[in-house]
Amino acid sequence: MRHLTYLAVLVACLACAAWLEPLLRVGVLRRWRPLVATVAVVAAVFTAWDVLAIAAGQWSYDPAQLVGVTLPGRLPLEELLFFLVVPVCAILAFEATRRVTGWSDGSASAGSSGAGGVSGAGGSSAPVDGAEGGGQR
Amino acid sequence: MSYTVAAGCGVVIAVLIDLFGLRTGLVRRRLFWATYPIVFGFQLVFNGILTGRGVVRYRPSAILGLRLADAPVEDLAFGFALVLFTSVRKPRTKREKRKPVFRGE
């Protein structure tokens, strides 16, 4: 069982955040396409860092506590999974906090950089769910 | 290069991307600083397990040797860079004006 140590930590980590999805209905996992796009970029950058650090001998892993699948760059499978699990957990936490507080992350507010150019949003004071349309003819 | 230098660079680069690269400006937002302590708490727990049980072992000469809950301080910087970069890259949110928790739908 010792070889499952790292994997068990990852499962526990995911379990700590996953309940936010149904409880607060943050929709992070439901909108999985943008999530995959985000996590792929983050995982690519940080696994590259990891591989370089392993090559430089900055850290190493205890083979007895790994399932034993090693990816190119001497990267343990768990380490790749780490860079998938942690970003998902972080985004869940971020969106849950946003939902509970109602605070803006800046991405949809008028003063933000406008990156992304969301279709038809027009860039200023996004109308909400038809609320503004009520008085129009 | 030591892990100390690499982790420091990681933090600086992540902040620069946030402020000037993608101009998400999350480090200037209370939402980020409300979320980060939560993530940080869990990081201390899980990072502490991984380092405390020796799943990950660090070359002593690559780190300062300062530790918090078994994790080298460099890991905390690494974690900050990872969480900030993730938050910067996270999917854009379209609906903004939701009331906290309460929803009228």
Side-chain angles (χ1 to χ4, degrees):
Chain A
M1 288 300 280
R2 200 167 131 80
H3 65 289
L4 296 177
T5 305
Y6 196 167
L7 199 61
V9 168
L10 293 174
V11 171
C13 191
L14 195 57
C16 281
W19 61 274
L20 293 166
E21 175 83 8
L23 193 82
L24 292 175
R25 285 185 269 172
V26 287
V28 170
L29 304 177
R30 181 166 51 82
R31 291 193 290 268
W32 59 272
R33 285 172 194 273
L35 181 66
V36 167
T38 294
V39 172
V41 171
V42 175
V45 169
F46 281 85
T47 50
W49 180 347
D50 203 345
V51 166
L52 291 174
I54 293 168
Q58 289 177 1
W59 60 69
S60 58
Y61 305 92
D62 177 11
Q65 300 188 68
L66 303 172
V67 291
V69 178
T70 306
L71 305 171
R74 286 189 286 154
L75 192 75
L77 173 65
E78 288 91 337
E79 202 64 2
L80 173 62
L81 295 176
F82 178 91
F83 293 117
L84 303 178
V85 166
V86 172
V88 169
C89 291
I91 293 171
L92 279 165
F94 198 95
E95 291 301 321
T97 307
R98 197 168 71 84
R99 171 58 59 91
V100 170
T101 62
W103 294 344
S104 170
D105 64 358
S107 68
S109 64
S112 73
S113 65
V118 182
S119 62
S124 65
S125 63
V128 187
D129 298 332
E132 284 188 2
Q136 294 176 352
R137 297 155 214 222
Chain B
M1 190 195 300
S2 71
Y3 183 24
T4 313
V5 174
C9 289
V11 169
V12 170
I13 290 169
V15 170
L16 289 177
I17 290 172
D18 177 42
L19 289 178
F20 306 111
L22 297 171
R23 294 200 198 165
T24 33
L26 291 177
V27 293
R28 287 198 292 246
R29 291 199 166 267
R30 58 184 176 173
L31 178 60
F32 177 77
W33 294 108
T35 306
Y36 184 68
I38 300 168
V39 177
F40 183 75
F42 282 101
Q43 188 198 344
L44 282 186
V45 172
F46 291 117
N47 211 325
I49 295 171
L50 290 177
T51 51
R53 297 179 71 99
V55 176
V56 186
R57 299 166 299 198
Y58 303 86
R59 193 182 75 224
S61 63
I63 58 175
L64 292 174
L66 287 173
R67 285 176 184 262
L68 188 61
D70 274 326
V73 289
E74 288 86 350
D75 265 6
L76 307 178
F78 183 98
F80 179 85
L82 176 59
V83 171
L84 178 57
F85 187 60
T86 300
S87 303
V88 164
R89 296 286 320 190
K90 83 175 178 62
R92 318 303 290 168
T93 46
K94 288 169 188 164
R95 287 178 295 177
E96 194 60 33
K97 301 240 168 132
R98 282 190 176 281
K99 291 282 180 283
V101 181
F102 170 79
R103 293 189 303 282
E105 293 174 12

